[in-house]
């Protein structure tokens, strides 16, 4: 038996549910299938369980994409304010944190509940634990063979997400489907991901795991991010590191300013004049936790002398290493802990206004499966909402 529907969405994550609810609100018959046993799993664990669902200060520049203009239309058609309206309509209380990030007061479950209620209102049929076996193009629409039978649809929306967190149901299926239809898939790699340290660096910093400080981190080809940096058992994490990871190419060093609000050369010169007998470690401890101050001295091989006795080489090395430390990570933690996937379905082959494939009418890609990656701070969910919405208006 073949089930007929107007729109079939593969993937009941953030973008898929938004797309389904939007298409259903237009009166389209919509079905969503997902191989997971629960919808919106990533939403549920996001933002420490409170879902950082959007950002007040959203700009196209907060996104990485092969075509930097691509995100503009969808983000303008469905803005952060539109999503906030929906959140308010559903009575979900939220609050703002640093940098305009909006989180639920209570639980990310409320966002999933809201999306499912929107889907329900439009009569969307949700089929979980459903595998896609094959997809073929018909003269009109598509035929999709699945573990629950054959489904025929006019529009097919691929909302299968990226590769991060395979435990949560992530798969490469969306990329394979894109390739089946002749679309280009740009190389993928983990984004918003902690760095691991090289063994010799790890020896020094691992005992400091748990220490965090405000630092500026910049990859060679990216902006500088001044946020928290956290030392972990494996390396470094925290928002400043995760943000920079989106821009770092494998093998490259990142520049780390451990004291972004201090001109270390100037502060050191002043301290030498005022307190020439003060030990270097004592002075560093005025700026860093004591254990980190001690480690920095050992790591860089400085002598813990009175400030007045430091030689020229050390006086030059201290500002360089504190304000412009060139840290070469061992690598990154990969998809196991990455929040997002960089790369994916090439946007050149998609309409930026509708997310429809230019060469295959009726085929849409939404959310993270495509080559659009946002900064940390609610930008990735907003892309899921915006791209899902515009596809839902057109599928
Ligand atoms: P998503 O991954 O949400 O959904 C894809 C769906 O497709 C899944 O339900 C999956 O099971 C299904 N699927 C995959 N392959 C399939 C197949 N072959 N057949 C059937 N179904 C299939 N972003 C943000 O803005 N704020 C935040 O607070 C966070 N926090 C966060 C924490 C953690 C731990 C992670 C891993 C990620 C985040 N993110 C985030 C990123 C955000 O979760 C992500 O960008 C969006 O969920 C992407 O939405 P999509 O709908 O594209 O994919």
């Amino acid at each position: 038996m073949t089930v007929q529907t107007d729109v079939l969405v593969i993937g009941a994550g953030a973008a898929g549910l938004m797309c389904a609810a939007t298409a259903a609100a237009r009166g389209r018959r919509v079905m969503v299938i997902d191989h997971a046993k629960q919808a919106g799993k990533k939403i549920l664990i996001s933002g420490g369980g409170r879902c950082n669902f959007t950002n007040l200060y959203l700009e196209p520049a907060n996104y990485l994409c092969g075509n930097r203009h691509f995100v503009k239309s969808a983000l303008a058609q469905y803005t952060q304010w539109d999503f906030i309206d929906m959140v308010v309509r559903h009575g979900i209380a939220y609050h703002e944190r640093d940098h305009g990030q909006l989180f639920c007061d209570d639980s990310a479950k409320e966002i999933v509940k809201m999306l499912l209620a929107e889907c329900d209102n439009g009569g969307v049929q949700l089929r979980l634990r459903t595998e896609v076996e094959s997809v073929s193009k018909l003269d009109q629409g598509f035929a999709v063979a699945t573990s629950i039978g054959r489904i025929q649809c006019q529009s097919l929306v691929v909302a299968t997400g990226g590769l991060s967190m395979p435990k949560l149901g992530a798969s490469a299926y969306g990329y394979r489907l894109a390739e089946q239809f002749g679309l280009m898939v740009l190389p993928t790699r983990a984004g918003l991901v902690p760095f691991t340290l090289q063994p010799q660096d790890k020896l020094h910093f691992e005992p400091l795991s748990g220490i965090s400080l405000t630092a500026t981190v910049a990859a060679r080809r990216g902006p500088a991010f001044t946020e928290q940096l956290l030392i972990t058992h494996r390396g470094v994490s925290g928002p400043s590191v995760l943000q920079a990871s989106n821009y770092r190419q494998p093998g490259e060093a990142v520049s780390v300013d451990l004291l972004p609000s201090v001109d270390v050369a100037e502060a050191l010169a002043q301290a030498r004049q005022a307190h020439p007998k003060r030990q270097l470690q004592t002075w560093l401890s005025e700026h860093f936790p004591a254990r980190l101050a001690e480690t920095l001295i050992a790591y860089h091989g400085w002598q813990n002398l009175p400030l007045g006795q430091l030689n020229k080489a050390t006086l030059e090395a201290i500002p360089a290493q504190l304000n412009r430390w060139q840290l070469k990570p061992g690598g990154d933690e990969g998809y196991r802990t990455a929040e997002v996937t960089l790369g994916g379905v090439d946007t050149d082959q998609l309409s930026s206004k509708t997310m429809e494939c230019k060469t295959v009418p009726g085929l849409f890609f939404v959310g993270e499966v495509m080559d659009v990656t946002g900064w940390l701070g609610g930008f990735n969910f907003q892309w899921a909402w915006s791209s899902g919405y515009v596809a839902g208006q057109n599928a």
Side-chain angles (χ1 to χ4, degrees), residues 10-15 34-36 42 45-47 52 159-161 165 169 171 173 338-340 367-368 378-381 384:
I10 308 177
D34 197 304
H35 61 181
K42 270 193 197 162
I45 59 152
S46 68
N52 175 196
T160 46
M165 301 238 167
S171 84
Y173 185 73
E339 282 200 15
V340 288
E368 203 183 310
F379 300 100
N380 284 294
F381 277 136

Side-chain angles (χ1 to χ4, degrees), residues 10-17 33-36 38-43 45-48 50-54 103 130-132 159-162 164-165 168-174 176 192 337-340 366-369 375-384 387:
I10 308 177
L17 292 175
I33 57 175
D34 197 304
H35 61 181
Q38 200 179 8
K41 274 189 171 180
K42 270 193 197 162
I43 303 174
I45 59 152
S46 68
R50 290 218 160 82
C51 186
N52 175 196
F53 54 79
T54 193
F103 287 78
T130 301
E131 301 287 341
V132 182
T160 46
S164 51
M165 301 238 167
L168 297 179
S171 84
Y173 185 73
R176 292 210 304 274
L192 297 180
T337 56
E339 282 200 15
V340 288
V366 294
E368 203 183 310
V369 69
W375 290 10
L376 188 77
F379 300 100
N380 284 294
F381 277 136
Q382 186 61 45
W383 178 247
S387 60

Side-chain angles (χ1 to χ4, degrees), residues 89-104:
R89 246 190 304 117
H90 284 258
I92 300 174
Y94 66 91
H95 60 276
E96 181 185 345
R97 295 195 195 161
D98 290 351
H99 310 286
Q101 305 173 82
L102 299 190
F103 287 78
C104 299

Side-chain angles (χ1 to χ4, degrees), residues 135-214:
V135 174
S136 40
K137 179 90 183 79
L138 307 173
D139 284 345
Q140 289 292 317
F142 301 83
V144 180
T146 75
S147 53
I148 55 165
R150 187 179 145 95
I151 304 167
Q152 232 168 276
C153 57
Q154 292 167 6
S155 298
L156 179 64
V157 181
V158 184
T160 46
L163 296 172
S164 51
M165 301 238 167
K167 268 195 322 216
L168 297 179
S171 84
Y173 185 73
Y175 307 134
R176 292 210 304 274
L177 201 54
E179 283 166 350
Q180 178 190 326
F181 285 100
L183 277 76
M184 179 108 110
V185 176
L186 300 177
T188 52
R189 65 186 167 85
L192 297 180
V193 65
F195 296 147
T196 56
L197 290 180
Q198 309 215 32
Q200 67 275 21
D201 294 346
K202 193 167 172 246
L203 277 179
H204 286 278
F205 290 101
E206 189 180 359
L208 305 181
S209 118
I211 288 183
S212 74
L213 63 159
T214 301

